[in-house]
């Protein structure tokens, strides 16, 4: 690699790479632009490889070759699949997006560039940042393959609610280089910029290796208080963010249902015990807990539920240390046992009147003992719980049938989470527990004027946990609406709470005019993103007829807003020698048993003018 | 702060000022029978000039109902509700309400809050917002008693002592020392006092301009009208 980052051996030079992220009201619009020139005397294959968050939807991809831009089109997956099949039949590999580790997906395309020619790759993706343990995170994975003459990351954040703090984390940077990251923060705007020179990118003065290899993470939070939150209105769509502060936590009753079957033996069992010990230590003394362990049989620690007093916690820890792995996996019986235990404890008035009851299941495998039909187990658990308790399922490792756990959680107002087999597994378990550790509100209902709005996203929530955020969006159907009233009804630990926000449509639109410099239609796109995400979740536990309707609606929105979702694919067509060659992108499914190391995907190199290329992006 | 007390079956009103030092906490209501207390903390202007009279206002109220295990602290910034060990903090920027059986608090953003404690008491606290760059004035609060009929006859405090109707006789109305203002003689609580006709404002319905309440002004910190002297009402803490 020469002075300007040119690699004389490959002949390819990335002379510019720009990552531009614009966030307005938590909705992030990201563009990655990379420019490559072939300085060799022959055609070369240039790869464009980007990792993006799994929660993001790709919205656009384009390549500009010889001054001609080839733009991606989002199509129904089946349509794209036909092209995919054609490509496969030609002996090519397709599928451009692959899961990469825990949080990221890898998008990869390649194209042949003629001698002295240039190519510009441009990828756009969008994402609604989720508040997690009191902050939003923008994760940008930085990994250029060579030194880049013009490398730049620019993150602009605009939060009308006010930015409480803005930090960045770039562990790959040596200490002496962290100062090149520039951060500016005003009341409502934040800007983080990273623009290392070629010299600053070098690992050592005379070598060509780059230090740019790692995650560039931006963390921030907005100002919040105990109010109905903030409502933004732009171009006829509104979004309401609600995350009240200064509330007292509500006690919770947790039944830990822990798999200690034979497959858990070794590291997984040790890590589970370690995490449980820490979780027990962190329990609030007002909480109640019980532990059920299962293999092909199940056992409840001391056959009851206990308040998390120091004595009870100490005794439970002694028990946890004795849990060892053995036997098969019967998930049905311990789950039903957990429900019965909660039922009885409520009936006997052992638990606080206003409290959250939840079951946290941790398992590493499919049920293979007792009732082993996953559908039957899901039905049994749903019917026993009957909407009263939350179920959170933690799938440990890669042998779990994640879709089974996901449906069981979603059926019972919970979520499923994959716990990756790694040295930090105990931290992952604790991290999940921390998310649900502090319920602040129960039965939250957000109301808006019925006749004035339509297409509302989910507006009723069983709980609100400290550190998270409730987001509701909708369309204003009354063109003459002067003010929008949002009312929140909820229960706190002791009282009934009502919060009200009234926003003047004209005033809010005036304020949002200021943010048009970011992107004007963000509220509508945010609404579409949120609607699709929620419909996808709903689809997991829907019956056949409803599933069909949900699928149609997701597809309609994905196509309309050009989102690469599990139901759509993006096809980039590149005319070549009078043929239409396509690239297609898909989104990988969480249920794919993807090892932590990303699968290696190779796209065979081919002569520039002879073989058609085909690429493909989409999302599961 | 200014105090306005209705008399003679709401047909007239008496008003007086209490001058205190910024930081002092005054007891407004104490009912030992219902275990109910309201205290108010005084604030001064942003700048205090030497040898000039210090104007004080209420900057914070503490309301305690021990029977309900409820305490409410209202400042010009936030409203904090303590219920047992629980604590909830509302900003003045939000419209909100909190209810629990017979206790309720209802906030109208940037304007006022209404506090109802069972059948015993209903109060309104009005927020007076002042331009934040004003060189002298700062935000302050007003306290209004809407309903106190269930308080016991032992209720006391700068306001509480008037919760049970008092009668005052006003006569000898004549031109006063201040031009354009009438003076009169008032007989109340066995004292004969010189009072001056004036008016004070009720800001409950019009927080900006207020509505005029004509009243007879009692000079010298309500001397003779209130029991004892203002220093008798100074307490050590808001709760």
């Amino acid at each position: 690699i020469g002075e300007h980052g040119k690699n004389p051996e490959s002949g390819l030079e990335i002379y510019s790479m720009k990552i531009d992220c614009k966030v307005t009201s938590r909705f992030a619009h990201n563009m990655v632009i990379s420019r490559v020139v072939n300085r060799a005397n022959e055609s070369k294959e240039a790869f464009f490889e980007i990792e993006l968050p799994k929660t993001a939807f790709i919205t656009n991809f384009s390549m500009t070759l010889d001054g001609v831009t080839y733009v991606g089109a989002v199509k129904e997956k089946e349509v794209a699949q036909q092209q995919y099949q054609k490509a496969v039949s030609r002996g090519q590999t397709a599928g451009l997006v692959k899961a990469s580790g825990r949080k990221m997906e890898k998008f990869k395309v390649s194209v042949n560039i003629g001698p002295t020619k240039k190519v510009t790759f441009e990828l756009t993706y969008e994402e609604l940042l989720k508040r997690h343990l009191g902050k939003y995170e923008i994760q940008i994975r930085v990994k250029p393959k060579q030194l880049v003459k013009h490398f730049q990351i620019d993150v602009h954040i605009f939060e009308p609610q006010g930015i409480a703090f803005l930090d960045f984390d770039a562990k790959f940077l040596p200490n002496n280089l962290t100062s090149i990251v520039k951060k500016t923060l005003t009341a409502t705007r934040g800007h983080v910029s990273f623009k290392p020179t070629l010299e600053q990118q070098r690992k050592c003065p005379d070598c060509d290796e780059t230090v740019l290899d790692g995650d560039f993470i931006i963390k921030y939070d907005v100002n919040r208080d105990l109010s109905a939150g903030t409502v933004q209105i732009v171009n006829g769509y509104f979004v309401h963010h609600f995350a009240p502060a200064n509330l007292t936590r509500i006690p919770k009753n947790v039944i830990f249902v822990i798999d200690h079957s034979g497959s858990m033996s070794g590291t997984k069992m040790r890590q589970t015990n370690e995490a449980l010990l820490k979780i027990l230590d962190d329990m609030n003394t007002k909480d109640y807990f019980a532990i059920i362990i299962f293999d092909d049989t199940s056992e409840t620690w001391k056959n009851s539920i206990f308040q998390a007093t120091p004595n009870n916690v100490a005794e439970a820890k002694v028990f946890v240390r004795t849990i060892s792995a053995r036997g098969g996996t019967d998930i049905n019986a311990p789950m039903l046992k957990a429900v019965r235990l909660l039922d009885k404890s409520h009936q006997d008035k052992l638990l606080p009147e206003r409290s959250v009851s939840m079951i946290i299941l941790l398992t590493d495998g499919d049920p293979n003992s007792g009732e082993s039909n996953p559908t039957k187990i899901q039905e049994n658990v749903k019917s026993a719980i009957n909407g009263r308790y939350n179920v959170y399922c933690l799938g440990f490792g890669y042998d779990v049938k994640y879709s089974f756990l996901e449906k069981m959680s979603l059926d019972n107002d919970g979520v499923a989470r994959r716990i990756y087999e790694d040295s930090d597994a105990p931290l992952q378990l604790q991290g999940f527990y921390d998310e649900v550790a502090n319920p602040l509100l129960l039965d939250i209902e957000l109301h808006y004027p019925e006749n004035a709005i339509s297409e509302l996203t989910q507006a009723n929530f069983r709980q609100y946990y400290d550190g998270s955020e409730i987001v509701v969006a909708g369309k204003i159907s009354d063109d003459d609406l002067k003010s929008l009233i949002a009312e929140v009804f909820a229960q706190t630990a002791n009282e009934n709470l009502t919060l009200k926000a009234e926003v003047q449509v004209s005033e809010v639109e005036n304020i949002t005019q200021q943010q048009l410099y970011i992107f004007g239609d963000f509220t509508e796109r945010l609404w579409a993103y949120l609607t699709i995400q929620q419909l996808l979740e709903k689809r997991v536990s829907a019956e056949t007829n409803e599933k069909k309707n949900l699928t149609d609606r997701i597809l309609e929105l994905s196509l309309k807003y050009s989102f690469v979702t599990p139901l759509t694919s993006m096809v980039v067509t590149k005319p070549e020698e009078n043929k239409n060659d396509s690239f297609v992108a898909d989104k990988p499914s969480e249920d794919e048993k993807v090892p932590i190391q990303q699968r290696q995907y190779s796209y065979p190199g081919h002569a520039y003018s002879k073989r058609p290329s085909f690429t493909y992006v989409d999302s599961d | 702060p200014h105090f306005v007390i209705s008399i003679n079956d709401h047909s007239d009103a008496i008003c007086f000022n209490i001058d205190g030092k910024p930081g002092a906490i005054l007891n407004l209501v104490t009912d030992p029978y219902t275990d109910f207390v309201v205290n108010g903390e005084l604030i001064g202007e942003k700048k205090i000039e030497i040898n000039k009279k210090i104007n004080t206002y209420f900057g914070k109220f503490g309301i305690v109902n021990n029977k309900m295990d409820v305490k409410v602290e209202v400042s010009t910034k936030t409203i904090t509700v303590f219920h047992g060990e629980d604590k909830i903090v509302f900003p003045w920027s939000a419209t909100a309400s909190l209810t629990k059986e017979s206790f309720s608090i209802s906030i109208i953003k940037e304007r006022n809050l209404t506090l109802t404690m069972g059948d015993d008491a209903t109060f309104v606290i009005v927020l007076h917002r002042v331009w934040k760059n004003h060189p002298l004035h700062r935000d302050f609060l007003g306290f209004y008693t809407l309903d106190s009929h269930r308080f016991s006859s032992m209720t006391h405090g700068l306001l509480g002592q008037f919760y049970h109707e008092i009668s005052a006789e006003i006569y000898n109305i004549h031109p006063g020392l201040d031009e354009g203002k009438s003076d009169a003689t008032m007989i109340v609580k066995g004292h004969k006092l010189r009072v001056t006709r004036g008016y004070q404002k009720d800001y409950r319905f019009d927080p900006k301009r207020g509505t005029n309440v004509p009243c007879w002004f009692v000079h010298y910190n309500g001397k003779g009208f209130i029991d004892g002297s203002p220093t008798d009402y100074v307490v050590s803490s808001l709760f």
Side-chain angles (χ1 to χ4, degrees), chain A residues 225-228 245-249 286 354 492-502, chain B residues 70 81-91 93-100 103 109:
Chain A
D225 51 27
L226 181 46
S227 65
N246 301 319
L247 283 163
T248 303
R249 72 185 292 285
K286 283 187 178 172
R354 276 195 187 182
T492 70
N494 273 311
E495 300 91 1
N496 296 329
L497 177 71
T498 308
L499 298 163
K500 191 170 162 185
E502 182 173 0
Chain B
V70 170
V81 181
F82 300 89
H83 196 153
E85 290 175 11
D86 298 342
K87 178 183 166 187
I88 297 180
V89 185
F90 293 95
S93 56
T95 296
S97 67
L98 191 71
T99 54
K100 161 95 179 182
F103 161 75
K109 69 173 184 179

Side-chain angles (χ1 to χ4, degrees), chain A residues 304-305 340-351:
Chain A
S304 189
I305 190 162
R340 284 197 298 273
L341 183 56
L342 281 171
D343 285 349
K344 187 161 188 324
S345 307
H346 278 291
Q347 277 157 19
D348 296 348
K349 301 202 180 300
L350 295 176
L351 305 175

